[in-house]
Amino acid sequence: MFASSRTTPMQPVSLPPRADPHDFAGLRINGPRLHQRLAELATIGAIPGGGVARLALTDEDRLGRDQVVAWMRELGLAVSIDRVGNVIGTRAGREDLPPVASGSHIDTVRTGGILDGNLGVLAALEVIATLNDAGIRTRRPLAVAFFTNEEGARFAPDMMGSAVCQGSLDLESALAAVGIDGRSVGEELARIGYAGEATPGLDAYAFVELHIEQGPVLDREGITIGAVTGVQGISWTELTLRGVSNHAGTTPIALRKDAALVAAEITVALRRIAVELGPPQVATVGALTLRPNLINVVPNHALMTLDLRNTDEARLQESERRAFAAVAELAAREGVEVSQRSLARFAPVEFDERVIHRVERFAQALGHSVRRLPSGAGHDAQMFAPRCPTGMIFVPSVDGISHNVRERTDPAHIEAGADVLLQTLLSLAEE
Ligand code: HGY
Ligand code: MN
Ligand code: MN
């Protein structure tokens, strides 16, 4: 029995005795139904190459939301939409207790694969469908959620909806966030009809999320299930560089204040810092726009983003210190002004040993290879970890590819992950 993480220290416990009335060990999800739903959702916002583009709160996201809400209702879930657009479908338990929750996100990056986030939501719905088919009513309610703007690609920060849901981001700041196209979250929620009335919040007994690894580890080692130990820290910063636009032909090098040069040198400096600090440190300049962006004009303006991550908070801070020092020095050397704005900052998160252990045990009981590993990507689960026993289940990404239309996972691995999710949620929901 998990006492709320707020009251008792978390000690690893052995698995509780399996609760009858049903022996769930033989229960399995319906693989073809899960693949069918994944394929149907993938038609919404489909882009060439087999991926999807459903940036948060776009019309494509609205259509995806409508489809998943329709599936939630078909499965008999009570659907609530909160003021930041999080959608939670709840299945009643035998008793009115804090629910066991699962889910993920259905918004994607612009070059998204069909599994990132979507797998976690649709596998959780497949768990519900499997319990409906088997006529099983769990002791605790089950809640399946998709959270607004997990990706953060249009509006920062990422994991926005789950952060508001779990109280680590205030609602007004989220609604006021302005996206890369100048529209606010609040405006876009209203425009697509997902400015719900429910107050954001979910007091879960436990939270478990199934997700693709999005990295190379499981695929390279030939392992089917990842028992995720936690999520690395994330630091997102926006830089605005201001130089002087000038004629590309007449302006001597010594007289230039070239914003593009400084942006390029910052990009190189970030790679140097990541290599100096060594794995798992990563550093990325993902977005860079120059103005006036013309062949014969020295750029006077660069807008760029820095994404720094590490599993260790102290080393993440060291990477930030080195990066910001390099930015200041390179800008000063070129006579370019720089201003910076934090877009997101999440410390590393550790998941609950009891949930990690349970994922391992069920993976083994189902005959799947399993190993522990941290998550390089951010996830909605990290917002639940400080509030309730939380864990994640990974399945391999072929060649470690993600945020890329070529994102793929072996169908058998998808089914294995969903079966481990089924067993893990069931065991928690009978406590
Ligand atoms: O950026 C991330 O790690 C996640 O995909 N939002
Ligand atoms: Mn994701
Ligand atoms: Mn993602």
Side-chain angles (χ1 to χ4, degrees), residues 105 107 109 116 149-153 157-159 211 214 231-232 234 236 307 309 346 375-380 382 402-403:
H105 61 96
D107 67 296
V109 294
D116 179 359
N149 185 36
E150 186 279 343
E151 288 295 358
D158 53 349
M159 285 78 72
H211 205 286
Q214 300 182 287
V231 178
Q232 67 179 345
I234 300 176
W236 283 2
D307 178 324
R309 308 199 194 194
F346 298 117
S375 174
H379 297 289
D380 294 308
Q382 72 188 84
S402 183
H403 283 189

Side-chain angles (χ1 to χ4, degrees), residues 266-284 307-310 315 318-320 322-323:
I266 289 170
T267 305
V268 172
L270 242 62
R271 171 61 67 87
R272 172 179 53 77
I273 292 164
V275 170
E276 284 169 357
L277 287 170
Q281 179 69 45
V282 287
T284 312
D307 178 324
L308 299 167
R309 308 199 194 194
N310 200 303
R315 293 180 75 75
E318 176 61 15
S319 71
E320 288 173 317
R322 293 186 193 187

